[in-house]
């Protein structure tokens, strides 16, 4: 309904109809990314992942709590959080993309590349940008690797055309 976007101090919720910021959630932290998944709003920060129930007062910083991403090999900050194929996904630069399985507590590595530098969602596809190639996931179990060279961004203008 209302898109959310990360800022260097919190999260803004947009009102697209009025073309303005509807609400600003000032968390006093740099937010790398945010998403809504289920009944929660998630935010990635320099200090880890925060979450808050969407039916709570998101303006109240005390409603935002630390969300434990218990992935042993992931240390440091998570830069991307989003949903793909109805799962919560996390990206850490140089480490990989992980997703929370259906049981809601265990995390699996979707893909690991030492030279992966960004990830994005585009028309129901999860796109990993690597050094010298791009990996496009159409589902959690199916991907295609494209030999694209160094790519810093990608958009899909038509179905299956990049």
């Amino acid at each position: 309904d209302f898109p959310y976007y990360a800022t260097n101090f919190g999260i803004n919720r947009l009102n697209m109809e009025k073309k303005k910021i509807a609400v600003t959630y000032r968390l006093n932290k740099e937010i790398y990314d945010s998403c809504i998944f289920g009944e929660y709003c998630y935010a990635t920060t320099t200090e880890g992942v925060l979450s808050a129930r969407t039916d709570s007062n998101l303006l109240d910083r005390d409603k935002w709590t630390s969300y434990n991403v218990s992935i042993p090999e992931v240390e440091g900050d998570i830069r991307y959080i989003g949903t793909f194929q109805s799962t919560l996904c996390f990206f850490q630069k140089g480490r990989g993309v992980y997703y929370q399985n259906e049981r809601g507590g265990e995390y699996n590595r979707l893909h690991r590349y030492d030279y992966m530098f960004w990830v994005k969602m585009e028309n129901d596809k999860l796109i990993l940008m690597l050094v010298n190639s791009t990996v496009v996931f159409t589902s959690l179990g199916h991907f295609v690797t494209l030999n694209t060279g160094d790519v810093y961004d990608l958009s899909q203008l038509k179905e299956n055309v990049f």
Side-chain angles (χ1 to χ4, degrees):
D1 298 348
F2 291 93
Y4 291 73
Y5 70 94
T7 70
N8 63 350
F9 55 82
I11 299 171
N12 286 332
R13 187 178 79 181
L14 299 178
N15 182 327
M16 297 302 287
E17 186 177 303
K18 294 182 179 179
K19 298 179 182 167
K20 68 177 194 169
I21 296 171
V23 180
T24 297
Y25 306 116
R26 291 192 178 276
L27 302 176
N28 293 340
K29 300 177 190 295
E30 182 176 0
I31 306 297
Y32 297 131
D33 202 7
S34 64
C35 79
I36 302 293
F37 182 67
E39 299 173 356
Y40 287 86
C41 182
Y42 295 90
T44 60
T45 75
T46 55
E47 300 166 17
V49 179
L50 298 174
S51 70
R53 289 187 58 89
T54 54
D55 61 358
S56 68
N57 180 5
L58 298 179
L59 294 168
D60 182 353
R61 278 185 288 236
D62 292 333
K63 299 294 181 186
W64 292 86
T65 59
S66 180
Y67 180 77
N68 184 19
V69 179
S70 55
I71 306 171
E73 64 266 20
V74 174
E75 299 171 3
D77 52 12
I78 294 172
R79 292 296 176 123
Y80 167 85
I81 189 167
T83 60
F84 177 65
Q85 303 286 308
S86 301
T87 60
L88 191 59
C89 295
F90 305 92
F91 162 73
Q92 187 179 36
K93 188 175 181 177
R95 295 276 183 165
V97 175
Y98 301 83
Y99 66 95
Q100 189 174 31
N101 69 20
E102 293 130 14
R103 293 184 292 269
E106 298 176 18
Y107 296 90
N108 298 333
R109 182 185 298 132
L110 181 61
H111 228 286
R112 179 186 174 118
Y113 287 103
D114 292 335
Y115 301 105
M116 180 170 50
F117 58 89
W118 197 241
V119 62
K120 73 183 288 187
M121 286 288 304
E122 188 81 29
N123 293 340
D124 297 325
K125 292 175 179 57
L126 182 66
I127 302 167
L128 313 179
M129 287 164 256
L130 317 170
V131 174
N132 295 320
S133 64
T134 301
V135 179
V136 180
F137 282 85
T138 55
S139 71
L140 291 173
H142 182 263
F143 65 91
V144 174
T145 301
L146 308 170
N147 294 318
T148 56
D150 292 343
V151 174
Y152 298 101
D153 200 6
L154 190 67
S155 64
Q156 184 175 356
L157 301 176
K158 296 181 184 180
E159 184 66 27
N160 294 321
V161 176
F162 296 93

